[in-house]
Structures are given as C-alpha cells and as structure tokens.
Amino acid sequence: MATKYKFGDNRLPHFITFAVVNWIDVFTRERYKELVVDSLKFCIKEKGLNLHAWVIMSNHVHLIASAREGFELVNIIRDLKKYTSKMIISSIESNQQESRKDWMLWLFKRAGLQNSNNKIYQFWQQDNHPVELNTNKMIEQRLNYLHENPVESGLVTEAQYYKYSSATDYYEEKSGLVPVSFM
C-alpha cells in the first residue's frame, strides 16, 4: 500500500505513529505495554535505535526516533513492529484472564486475511506515518503533542505522571522506563 509518508534522513529525528488494527484498545493491559517497553530497550541496545521520546497509548504508539550510524530507521521500526506483534498476540493467546481474547484474536485474524503479507494475524496497521523533524519548531510541537497525549486523553492530570512515556525524563529530569537520547 503506497503512502505519502516516507522515512527521510536516518540521522534526523522522525515523529512516528503506529496503531493497532481497528484501533483496538490492547494497551489497557500492563503486560502488553511492557512487551513494547522491552522491545524498545532491545532496539536501543542492539538495533541502532536512538529514541528521543515515546508514549504508549491504549491503541497506538508515538515515537520520536532516529538511527545510529550504519542503521536504518525504517528497518528498526519494521523489526520492532514484527517482533511486538508476535509477542503481544502470543501473550493474548496465553492470558487466561483476558476477557477480550476471542474477540481480539478474531479481529486480528480477519485483518490478517485481508493482507497477503501476513500468515495468520495482523496486529499493527501497515503504515508508520513517519514525519522527518527538520526544524526546532517541528521537534517542539511533536514533543509536546506526544507528551500531552495522555493528559488530553484523561489518563493523567500532568504528563510526567504517565508511566508509559518519556515525559518523566523531560519534565522531572528522572529516568523513565526506557532510556532516551535528548535532542
């Protein structure tokens, strides 16, 4: 599927959004968010990801990221999405307390059948919507949008109180769950 959004210069930060198919609220469960957190840490350590800011919402993820020398951001994000989709679906399948299990798996399977790139399930939507942030104004706008997302959604009253975000790193100058490279 063609899209107007393309990854640009790997050294420049990109605002990247990827969403769960059908905007399913998968990330209302802590265990699924933790899989994304662990995967981000792995990509930083092993795959060349420079993570500048991040947030996990109920049905989508926002990142501001770039790639270290010798790595390509498009490949990092592809691998991150591929791995997390497998791990989250596996976790849903094995979660005896997941009241929405059959419904979610049915939706993921239905989405997978509509896309020839999948064998069984599709967890993430195809597009990433990367936007190259090549001015300080663009960086500031996207950074504020990303961190204020949980506030606007009514999850917290102040951005730094949201656990699954880099707002703590920026607003309180404390280390959050995932190490960030400040811009």
Short mmCIF file of all heavy atoms in Angstrom, two decimals, residues 114-172:
data_model
loop_
_atom_site.label_atom_id
_atom_site.label_comp_id
_atom_site.label_asym_id
_atom_site.label_seq_id
_atom_site.Cartn_x
_atom_site.Cartn_y
_atom_site.Cartn_z
N GLN A 114 -6.96 -10.20 5.17
CA GLN A 114 -7.11 -9.15 4.16
C GLN A 114 -5.76 -8.61 3.67
O GLN A 114 -5.72 -7.74 2.80
CB GLN A 114 -7.95 -8.01 4.72
CG GLN A 114 -9.36 -8.41 5.04
CD GLN A 114 -10.14 -7.34 5.78
OE1 GLN A 114 -9.65 -6.26 6.03
NE2 GLN A 114 -11.38 -7.65 6.14
N ASN A 115 -4.66 -9.12 4.24
CA ASN A 115 -3.35 -8.62 3.87
C ASN A 115 -2.44 -9.80 3.56
O ASN A 115 -2.14 -10.60 4.43
CB ASN A 115 -2.78 -7.80 5.04
CG ASN A 115 -1.46 -7.16 4.72
OD1 ASN A 115 -0.73 -7.60 3.84
ND2 ASN A 115 -1.12 -6.12 5.46
N SER A 116 -1.97 -9.88 2.33
CA SER A 116 -1.16 -11.02 1.90
C SER A 116 0.22 -11.07 2.56
O SER A 116 0.92 -12.07 2.46
CB SER A 116 -0.99 -11.00 0.38
OG SER A 116 -0.31 -9.82 -0.02
N ASN A 117 0.62 -10.02 3.25
CA ASN A 117 1.91 -10.01 3.96
C ASN A 117 1.87 -10.83 5.25
O ASN A 117 2.89 -11.04 5.87
CB ASN A 117 2.33 -8.57 4.32
CG ASN A 117 2.63 -7.74 3.09
OD1 ASN A 117 3.03 -8.26 2.06
ND2 ASN A 117 2.43 -6.45 3.20
N ASN A 118 0.70 -11.26 5.66
CA ASN A 118 0.54 -11.98 6.93
C ASN A 118 0.24 -13.44 6.71
O ASN A 118 -0.38 -13.81 5.72
CB ASN A 118 -0.60 -11.36 7.75
CG ASN A 118 -0.32 -9.92 8.07
OD1 ASN A 118 0.67 -9.59 8.68
ND2 ASN A 118 -1.21 -9.04 7.63
N LYS A 119 0.65 -14.25 7.68
CA LYS A 119 0.32 -15.67 7.64
C LYS A 119 -1.02 -15.92 8.31
O LYS A 119 -1.88 -16.60 7.76
CB LYS A 119 1.42 -16.49 8.31
CG LYS A 119 2.72 -16.48 7.54
CD LYS A 119 3.76 -17.32 8.19
CE LYS A 119 5.03 -17.26 7.36
NZ LYS A 119 6.20 -17.62 8.10
N ILE A 120 -1.20 -15.38 9.51
CA ILE A 120 -2.47 -15.59 10.22
C ILE A 120 -3.04 -14.27 10.71
O ILE A 120 -4.13 -13.89 10.33
CB ILE A 120 -2.28 -16.55 11.42
CG1 ILE A 120 -1.78 -17.91 10.95
CG2 ILE A 120 -3.60 -16.72 12.18
CD1 ILE A 120 -1.40 -18.86 12.07
N TYR A 121 -2.29 -13.59 11.56
CA TYR A 121 -2.79 -12.39 12.22
C TYR A 121 -2.10 -11.13 11.69
O TYR A 121 -0.97 -11.19 11.24
CB TYR A 121 -2.53 -12.45 13.73
CG TYR A 121 -3.22 -13.58 14.45
CD1 TYR A 121 -2.49 -14.61 15.04
CD2 TYR A 121 -4.60 -13.60 14.58
CE1 TYR A 121 -3.12 -15.63 15.72
CE2 TYR A 121 -5.24 -14.62 15.26
CZ TYR A 121 -4.50 -15.63 15.83
OH TYR A 121 -5.13 -16.63 16.51
N GLN A 122 -2.80 -10.02 11.83
CA GLN A 122 -2.18 -8.71 11.67
C GLN A 122 -2.50 -7.93 12.92
O GLN A 122 -3.66 -7.76 13.28
CB GLN A 122 -2.70 -7.97 10.44
CG GLN A 122 -2.02 -6.61 10.28
CD GLN A 122 -2.35 -5.94 8.97
OE1 GLN A 122 -2.65 -6.60 7.98
NE2 GLN A 122 -2.27 -4.63 8.96
N PHE A 123 -1.45 -7.47 13.60
CA PHE A 123 -1.63 -6.71 14.83
C PHE A 123 -1.55 -5.22 14.58
O PHE A 123 -2.44 -4.47 14.96
CB PHE A 123 -0.57 -7.13 15.87
CG PHE A 123 -0.71 -6.40 17.18
CD1 PHE A 123 -1.65 -6.81 18.09
CD2 PHE A 123 0.09 -5.31 17.47
CE1 PHE A 123 -1.81 -6.13 19.29
CE2 PHE A 123 -0.06 -4.63 18.66
CZ PHE A 123 -1.01 -5.04 19.58
N TRP A 124 -0.47 -4.76 13.95
CA TRP A 124 -0.28 -3.34 13.67
C TRP A 124 -0.84 -2.98 12.30
O TRP A 124 -0.77 -3.78 11.38
CB TRP A 124 1.20 -2.98 13.68
CG TRP A 124 1.91 -3.15 14.98
CD1 TRP A 124 2.86 -4.09 15.26
CD2 TRP A 124 1.77 -2.37 16.16
NE1 TRP A 124 3.32 -3.93 16.55
CE2 TRP A 124 2.66 -2.88 17.13
CE3 TRP A 124 0.98 -1.29 16.52
CZ2 TRP A 124 2.79 -2.35 18.41
CZ3 TRP A 124 1.09 -0.75 17.80
CH2 TRP A 124 1.98 -1.28 18.71
N GLN A 125 -1.33 -1.77 12.16
CA GLN A 125 -1.67 -1.25 10.85
C GLN A 125 -0.38 -1.15 10.04
O GLN A 125 0.71 -1.04 10.59
CB GLN A 125 -2.32 0.13 10.97
CG GLN A 125 -3.69 0.10 11.62
CD GLN A 125 -4.31 1.48 11.74
OE1 GLN A 125 -3.89 2.43 11.09
NE2 GLN A 125 -5.30 1.60 12.60
N GLN A 126 -0.50 -1.19 8.71
CA GLN A 126 0.67 -1.20 7.84
C GLN A 126 1.53 0.06 7.96
O GLN A 126 2.74 -0.02 8.01
CB GLN A 126 0.23 -1.37 6.38
CG GLN A 126 -0.25 -2.74 6.03
CD GLN A 126 0.82 -3.80 6.12
OE1 GLN A 126 0.73 -4.70 6.92
NE2 GLN A 126 1.85 -3.69 5.32
N ASP A 127 0.91 1.21 7.94
CA ASP A 127 1.67 2.46 7.90
C ASP A 127 2.25 2.84 9.25
O ASP A 127 1.73 2.49 10.30
CB ASP A 127 0.77 3.60 7.41
CG ASP A 127 0.50 3.53 5.92
OD1 ASP A 127 1.29 2.91 5.21
OD2 ASP A 127 -0.51 4.11 5.49
N ASN A 128 3.36 3.60 9.19
CA ASN A 128 4.00 4.13 10.38
C ASN A 128 3.84 5.64 10.50
O ASN A 128 4.10 6.19 11.54
CB ASN A 128 5.52 3.85 10.35
CG ASN A 128 5.81 2.39 10.23
OD1 ASN A 128 5.28 1.59 10.97
ND2 ASN A 128 6.66 2.03 9.28
N HIS A 129 3.48 6.28 9.44
CA HIS A 129 3.34 7.73 9.37
C HIS A 129 4.57 8.48 9.89
O HIS A 129 4.46 9.33 10.76
CB HIS A 129 2.08 8.20 10.12
CG HIS A 129 0.82 7.64 9.57
ND1 HIS A 129 0.31 8.04 8.36
CD2 HIS A 129 -0.01 6.70 10.04
CE1 HIS A 129 -0.80 7.37 8.12
NE2 HIS A 129 -1.02 6.55 9.11
N PRO A 130 5.77 8.18 9.36
CA PRO A 130 6.95 8.92 9.81
C PRO A 130 6.97 10.34 9.25
O PRO A 130 6.66 10.56 8.08
CB PRO A 130 8.11 8.10 9.24
CG PRO A 130 7.55 7.47 8.01
CD PRO A 130 6.10 7.19 8.33
N VAL A 131 7.30 11.29 10.10
CA VAL A 131 7.44 12.68 9.68
C VAL A 131 8.82 13.14 10.13
O VAL A 131 9.11 13.14 11.33
CB VAL A 131 6.34 13.58 10.31
CG1 VAL A 131 6.57 15.04 9.93
CG2 VAL A 131 4.95 13.11 9.91
N GLU A 132 9.66 13.48 9.16
CA GLU A 132 11.00 13.96 9.49
C GLU A 132 10.90 15.32 10.18
O GLU A 132 10.24 16.22 9.68
CB GLU A 132 11.83 14.07 8.21
CG GLU A 132 13.27 14.44 8.45
CD GLU A 132 14.07 14.48 7.17
OE1 GLU A 132 14.40 13.41 6.63
OE2 GLU A 132 14.33 15.61 6.70
N LEU A 133 11.55 15.43 11.32
CA LEU A 133 11.51 16.68 12.09
C LEU A 133 12.81 17.45 11.82
O LEU A 133 13.82 17.21 12.47
CB LEU A 133 11.35 16.36 13.58
CG LEU A 133 10.15 15.49 13.96
CD1 LEU A 133 10.12 15.24 15.45
CD2 LEU A 133 8.85 16.10 13.47
N ASN A 134 12.74 18.37 10.86
CA ASN A 134 13.97 19.04 10.43
C ASN A 134 14.07 20.49 10.90
O ASN A 134 14.95 21.21 10.47
CB ASN A 134 14.14 18.93 8.91
CG ASN A 134 12.90 19.34 8.17
OD1 ASN A 134 12.05 20.05 8.70
ND2 ASN A 134 12.79 18.89 6.93
N THR A 135 13.17 20.90 11.79
CA THR A 135 13.29 22.23 12.40
C THR A 135 13.03 22.09 13.91
O THR A 135 12.33 21.16 14.35
CB THR A 135 12.27 23.24 11.82
OG1 THR A 135 10.94 22.86 12.22
CG2 THR A 135 12.36 23.32 10.30
N ASN A 136 13.56 23.03 14.65
CA ASN A 136 13.33 23.02 16.10
C ASN A 136 11.85 23.20 16.43
O ASN A 136 11.36 22.61 17.39
CB ASN A 136 14.16 24.11 16.79
CG ASN A 136 15.63 23.76 16.84
OD1 ASN A 136 16.00 22.58 16.76
ND2 ASN A 136 16.49 24.77 16.94
N LYS A 137 11.16 23.99 15.63
CA LYS A 137 9.73 24.20 15.85
C LYS A 137 8.95 22.89 15.70
O LYS A 137 8.09 22.57 16.51
CB LYS A 137 9.19 25.26 14.89
CG LYS A 137 7.73 25.57 15.10
CD LYS A 137 7.23 26.66 14.17
CE LYS A 137 5.77 26.93 14.44
NZ LYS A 137 5.23 27.95 13.53
N MET A 138 9.29 22.11 14.66
CA MET A 138 8.62 20.82 14.45
C MET A 138 8.91 19.86 15.60
O MET A 138 8.01 19.16 16.08
CB MET A 138 9.07 20.18 13.13
CG MET A 138 8.55 20.86 11.89
SD MET A 138 9.20 20.10 10.38
CE MET A 138 8.20 18.61 10.32
N ILE A 139 10.16 19.85 16.06
CA ILE A 139 10.53 18.98 17.17
C ILE A 139 9.75 19.35 18.42
O ILE A 139 9.16 18.49 19.08
CB ILE A 139 12.06 19.04 17.44
CG1 ILE A 139 12.83 18.39 16.29
CG2 ILE A 139 12.41 18.39 18.77
CD1 ILE A 139 14.34 18.63 16.33
N GLU A 140 9.71 20.63 18.73
CA GLU A 140 8.99 21.10 19.93
C GLU A 140 7.50 20.78 19.85
O GLU A 140 6.90 20.31 20.81
CB GLU A 140 9.20 22.61 20.10
CG GLU A 140 8.58 23.15 21.36
CD GLU A 140 8.84 24.65 21.52
OE1 GLU A 140 9.84 25.16 20.99
OE2 GLU A 140 8.01 25.30 22.19
N GLN A 141 6.88 21.00 18.69
CA GLN A 141 5.45 20.71 18.52
C GLN A 141 5.16 19.24 18.74
O GLN A 141 4.24 18.88 19.48
CB GLN A 141 4.99 21.12 17.11
CG GLN A 141 4.85 22.58 16.90
CD GLN A 141 4.53 22.90 15.43
OE1 GLN A 141 4.86 22.16 14.51
NE2 GLN A 141 3.89 24.05 15.23
N ARG A 142 5.93 18.36 18.09
CA ARG A 142 5.67 16.93 18.21
C ARG A 142 6.00 16.40 19.60
O ARG A 142 5.31 15.53 20.11
CB ARG A 142 6.48 16.14 17.15
CG ARG A 142 6.06 16.37 15.71
CD ARG A 142 4.58 16.25 15.48
NE ARG A 142 4.14 16.04 14.13
CZ ARG A 142 4.25 16.87 13.11
NH1 ARG A 142 4.90 18.00 13.24
NH2 ARG A 142 3.75 16.56 11.93
N LEU A 143 7.04 16.93 20.22
CA LEU A 143 7.41 16.51 21.57
C LEU A 143 6.30 16.87 22.55
O LEU A 143 5.89 16.04 23.37
CB LEU A 143 8.73 17.18 21.97
CG LEU A 143 9.41 16.70 23.22
CD1 LEU A 143 9.78 15.23 23.12
CD2 LEU A 143 10.67 17.52 23.49
N ASN A 144 5.77 18.08 22.44
CA ASN A 144 4.66 18.48 23.31
C ASN A 144 3.42 17.65 23.04
O ASN A 144 2.74 17.21 23.97
CB ASN A 144 4.35 19.97 23.14
CG ASN A 144 5.42 20.84 23.75
OD1 ASN A 144 6.14 20.42 24.65
ND2 ASN A 144 5.55 22.05 23.25
N TYR A 145 3.11 17.44 21.76
CA TYR A 145 1.93 16.63 21.41
C TYR A 145 2.05 15.23 21.99
O TYR A 145 1.12 14.71 22.62
CB TYR A 145 1.77 16.55 19.89
CG TYR A 145 0.70 15.59 19.46
CD1 TYR A 145 -0.64 15.98 19.48
CD2 TYR A 145 1.00 14.29 19.08
CE1 TYR A 145 -1.65 15.10 19.12
CE2 TYR A 145 0.00 13.41 18.71
CZ TYR A 145 -1.32 13.81 18.73
OH TYR A 145 -2.31 12.93 18.38
N LEU A 146 3.20 14.61 21.79
CA LEU A 146 3.44 13.24 22.27
C LEU A 146 3.27 13.16 23.79
O LEU A 146 2.55 12.31 24.30
CB LEU A 146 4.85 12.84 21.85
CG LEU A 146 5.37 11.45 22.17
CD1 LEU A 146 6.38 11.04 21.11
CD2 LEU A 146 6.02 11.40 23.52
N HIS A 147 3.91 14.06 24.52
CA HIS A 147 3.86 14.00 25.98
C HIS A 147 2.50 14.40 26.55
O HIS A 147 2.11 13.91 27.61
CB HIS A 147 4.96 14.87 26.58
CG HIS A 147 6.32 14.24 26.46
ND1 HIS A 147 7.46 14.98 26.28
CD2 HIS A 147 6.71 12.94 26.49
CE1 HIS A 147 8.50 14.16 26.20
NE2 HIS A 147 8.06 12.92 26.31
N GLU A 148 1.79 15.27 25.86
CA GLU A 148 0.49 15.71 26.36
C GLU A 148 -0.65 14.76 25.96
O GLU A 148 -1.77 14.91 26.45
CB GLU A 148 0.19 17.13 25.88
CG GLU A 148 1.10 18.19 26.48
CD GLU A 148 1.00 18.27 28.01
OE1 GLU A 148 -0.13 18.19 28.55
OE2 GLU A 148 2.05 18.42 28.66
N ASN A 149 -0.38 13.79 25.12
CA ASN A 149 -1.41 12.85 24.66
C ASN A 149 -2.14 12.17 25.82
O ASN A 149 -3.37 12.12 25.82
CB ASN A 149 -0.76 11.84 23.72
CG ASN A 149 -1.67 11.39 22.61
OD1 ASN A 149 -2.32 10.37 22.75
ND2 ASN A 149 -1.70 12.14 21.52
N PRO A 150 -1.44 11.64 26.83
CA PRO A 150 -2.14 11.02 27.96
C PRO A 150 -2.97 12.02 28.78
O PRO A 150 -4.00 11.66 29.34
CB PRO A 150 -1.01 10.43 28.81
CG PRO A 150 0.14 10.30 27.89
CD PRO A 150 0.01 11.42 26.91
N VAL A 151 -2.54 13.27 28.82
CA VAL A 151 -3.30 14.30 29.53
C VAL A 151 -4.58 14.60 28.77
O VAL A 151 -5.67 14.63 29.34
CB VAL A 151 -2.46 15.59 29.72
CG1 VAL A 151 -3.28 16.69 30.37
CG2 VAL A 151 -1.19 15.30 30.51
N GLU A 152 -4.44 14.80 27.46
CA GLU A 152 -5.61 15.08 26.61
C GLU A 152 -6.60 13.93 26.62
O GLU A 152 -7.81 14.14 26.49
CB GLU A 152 -5.17 15.37 25.17
CG GLU A 152 -4.37 16.63 25.00
CD GLU A 152 -5.16 17.89 25.32
OE1 GLU A 152 -6.35 17.96 24.95
OE2 GLU A 152 -4.59 18.79 25.95
N SER A 153 -6.11 12.71 26.80
CA SER A 153 -6.98 11.53 26.85
C SER A 153 -7.59 11.31 28.23
O SER A 153 -8.38 10.38 28.41
CB SER A 153 -6.19 10.28 26.45
OG SER A 153 -5.76 10.38 25.13
N GLY A 154 -7.21 12.11 29.20
CA GLY A 154 -7.78 12.00 30.54
C GLY A 154 -7.16 10.90 31.39
O GLY A 154 -7.71 10.53 32.43
N LEU A 155 -6.01 10.39 30.99
CA LEU A 155 -5.36 9.31 31.75
C LEU A 155 -4.63 9.84 32.98
O LEU A 155 -4.53 9.15 33.99
CB LEU A 155 -4.39 8.54 30.86
CG LEU A 155 -5.00 7.82 29.67
CD1 LEU A 155 -3.92 7.26 28.75
CD2 LEU A 155 -5.93 6.71 30.15
N VAL A 156 -4.08 11.05 32.87
CA VAL A 156 -3.35 11.69 33.97
C VAL A 156 -3.64 13.19 33.92
O VAL A 156 -4.12 13.70 32.91
CB VAL A 156 -1.82 11.46 33.87
CG1 VAL A 156 -1.45 10.01 34.14
CG2 VAL A 156 -1.28 11.90 32.53
N THR A 157 -3.33 13.86 35.02
CA THR A 157 -3.53 15.31 35.05
C THR A 157 -2.29 16.07 34.60
O THR A 157 -2.38 17.21 34.17
CB THR A 157 -3.92 15.79 36.46
OG1 THR A 157 -2.92 15.36 37.38
CG2 THR A 157 -5.29 15.23 36.86
N GLU A 158 -1.13 15.43 34.72
CA GLU A 158 0.12 16.03 34.26
C GLU A 158 0.93 14.95 33.53
O GLU A 158 0.99 13.80 33.98
CB GLU A 158 0.92 16.60 35.43
CG GLU A 158 0.23 17.79 36.06
CD GLU A 158 1.07 18.43 37.15
OE1 GLU A 158 2.29 18.63 36.92
OE2 GLU A 158 0.51 18.73 38.21
N ALA A 159 1.56 15.35 32.44
CA ALA A 159 2.24 14.40 31.55
C ALA A 159 3.25 13.52 32.26
O ALA A 159 3.35 12.32 31.99
CB ALA A 159 2.91 15.15 30.40
N GLN A 160 4.01 14.08 33.18
CA GLN A 160 5.08 13.31 33.83
C GLN A 160 4.56 12.20 34.73
O GLN A 160 5.31 11.34 35.16
CB GLN A 160 6.04 14.22 34.62
CG GLN A 160 5.42 14.95 35.78
CD GLN A 160 4.86 16.31 35.41
OE1 GLN A 160 4.48 16.54 34.26
NE2 GLN A 160 4.80 17.21 36.37
N TYR A 161 3.26 12.18 35.01
CA TYR A 161 2.68 11.12 35.84
C TYR A 161 2.30 9.88 35.05
O TYR A 161 1.93 8.87 35.64
CB TYR A 161 1.44 11.63 36.59
CG TYR A 161 1.73 12.79 37.52
CD1 TYR A 161 0.81 13.80 37.69
CD2 TYR A 161 2.93 12.87 38.22
CE1 TYR A 161 1.07 14.86 38.54
CE2 TYR A 161 3.19 13.93 39.07
CZ TYR A 161 2.26 14.91 39.22
OH TYR A 161 2.51 15.96 40.06
N TYR A 162 2.39 9.96 33.72
CA TYR A 162 2.05 8.80 32.90
C TYR A 162 3.28 7.91 32.80
O TYR A 162 4.32 8.31 32.26
CB TYR A 162 1.55 9.23 31.51
CG TYR A 162 1.00 8.08 30.71
CD1 TYR A 162 -0.11 7.36 31.16
CD2 TYR A 162 1.59 7.69 29.52
CE1 TYR A 162 -0.61 6.29 30.42
CE2 TYR A 162 1.09 6.63 28.77
CZ TYR A 162 -0.01 5.93 29.24
OH TYR A 162 -0.49 4.88 28.51
N LYS A 163 3.15 6.70 33.28
CA LYS A 163 4.27 5.76 33.39
C LYS A 163 4.85 5.37 32.03
O LYS A 163 6.07 5.21 31.89
CB LYS A 163 3.78 4.51 34.14
CG LYS A 163 4.81 3.44 34.33
CD LYS A 163 4.18 2.27 35.13
CE LYS A 163 5.13 1.11 35.28
NZ LYS A 163 4.51 0.00 36.03
N TYR A 164 4.02 5.21 31.03
CA TYR A 164 4.46 4.69 29.74
C TYR A 164 4.74 5.82 28.75
O TYR A 164 4.16 5.90 27.67
CB TYR A 164 3.43 3.69 29.21
CG TYR A 164 3.43 2.45 30.06
CD1 TYR A 164 2.51 2.29 31.09
CD2 TYR A 164 4.42 1.47 29.90
CE1 TYR A 164 2.55 1.17 31.92
CE2 TYR A 164 4.46 0.36 30.73
CZ TYR A 164 3.53 0.21 31.73
OH TYR A 164 3.58 -0.88 32.56
N SER A 165 5.66 6.68 29.14
CA SER A 165 6.01 7.85 28.36
C SER A 165 7.39 8.35 28.78
O SER A 165 7.85 8.05 29.89
CB SER A 165 4.96 8.94 28.60
OG SER A 165 5.41 10.20 28.19
N SER A 166 8.00 9.13 27.93
CA SER A 166 9.28 9.74 28.27
C SER A 166 9.09 11.09 28.95
O SER A 166 10.08 11.78 29.24
CB SER A 166 10.13 9.92 27.01
OG SER A 166 9.44 10.67 26.03
N ALA A 167 7.87 11.48 29.28
CA ALA A 167 7.63 12.77 29.92
C ALA A 167 8.39 12.91 31.24
O ALA A 167 8.88 13.99 31.57
CB ALA A 167 6.13 12.99 30.14
N THR A 168 8.51 11.82 31.98
CA THR A 168 9.26 11.86 33.24
C THR A 168 10.70 12.29 32.98
O THR A 168 11.26 13.10 33.72
CB THR A 168 9.26 10.46 33.91
OG1 THR A 168 7.92 10.11 34.20
CG2 THR A 168 10.08 10.45 35.18
N ASP A 169 11.31 11.77 31.93
CA ASP A 169 12.68 12.12 31.57
C ASP A 169 12.81 13.62 31.28
O ASP A 169 13.80 14.24 31.66
CB ASP A 169 13.14 11.34 30.35
CG ASP A 169 13.10 9.84 30.55
OD1 ASP A 169 12.05 9.23 30.27
OD2 ASP A 169 14.12 9.29 31.00
N TYR A 170 11.82 14.16 30.60
CA TYR A 170 11.89 15.56 30.18
C TYR A 170 11.43 16.54 31.25
O TYR A 170 12.03 17.58 31.43
CB TYR A 170 11.03 15.77 28.91
CG TYR A 170 11.73 15.31 27.66
CD1 TYR A 170 11.66 13.98 27.25
CD2 TYR A 170 12.47 16.21 26.88
CE1 TYR A 170 12.31 13.56 26.10
CE2 TYR A 170 13.11 15.79 25.73
CZ TYR A 170 13.03 14.47 25.35
OH TYR A 170 13.68 14.05 24.21
N TYR A 171 10.34 16.22 31.96
CA TYR A 171 9.76 17.19 32.88
C TYR A 171 10.31 17.10 34.30
O TYR A 171 10.29 18.07 35.03
CB TYR A 171 8.24 17.04 32.93
CG TYR A 171 7.54 17.30 31.61
CD1 TYR A 171 6.25 16.85 31.41
CD2 TYR A 171 8.14 17.97 30.57
CE1 TYR A 171 5.58 17.07 30.20
CE2 TYR A 171 7.49 18.20 29.37
CZ TYR A 171 6.21 17.75 29.20
OH TYR A 171 5.56 17.97 28.02
N GLU A 172 10.75 15.93 34.70
CA GLU A 172 11.25 15.75 36.06
C GLU A 172 12.74 15.46 36.11
O GLU A 172 13.30 15.32 37.18
CB GLU A 172 10.47 14.64 36.77
CG GLU A 172 9.02 15.00 37.02
CD GLU A 172 8.33 14.02 37.95
OE1 GLU A 172 8.95 13.03 38.36
OE2 GLU A 172 7.16 14.27 38.26
#
